[in-house]
Amino acid sequence: MADFADLAAEREQQETARAIEAARSRTSHEPVACGLCHNCEEVIEGAAFCDADCRDDWELRRRAAR
Ligand SMILES: [Zn+2]
């Protein structure tokens, strides 16, 4: 039977894993605007992609890559 210390440690691990996962998905879902479209490398300003199609393409390829 698990005691309270075990439960607390387990919960802490889950929290940490969730935080890491959240940070990971935050950075990977929102690439920074760098002056070029991340998908087709067209020069754009103030956005990471020139349009929704490019964003979808990029996400599909990113998902396929892992
Ligand atoms: Zn593009």
Side-chain angles (χ1 to χ4, degrees):
M1 191 176 129
D3 63 25
F4 286 116
D6 283 345
L7 288 174
E10 196 176 308
R11 192 166 306 161
E12 201 178 305
Q13 276 181 351
Q14 287 172 352
E15 287 296 321
T16 307
R18 202 175 304 152
I20 291 170
E21 193 57 43
R24 234 182 240 157
S25 61
R26 222 181 356 256
T27 52
S28 59
H29 276 101
E30 290 175 26
V32 289
C34 64
L36 291 177
C37 173
H38 285 249
N39 186 55
C40 68
E41 300 193 344
E42 194 166 296
V43 178
I44 48 169
E45 274 187 47
F49 301 101
C50 41
D51 58 23
D53 283 345
C54 273
R55 191 197 56 220
D56 288 350
D57 269 11
W58 178 85
E59 275 202 14
L60 279 176
R61 271 191 290 132
R62 186 177 59 86
R63 242 174 260 162
R66 45 165 151 155

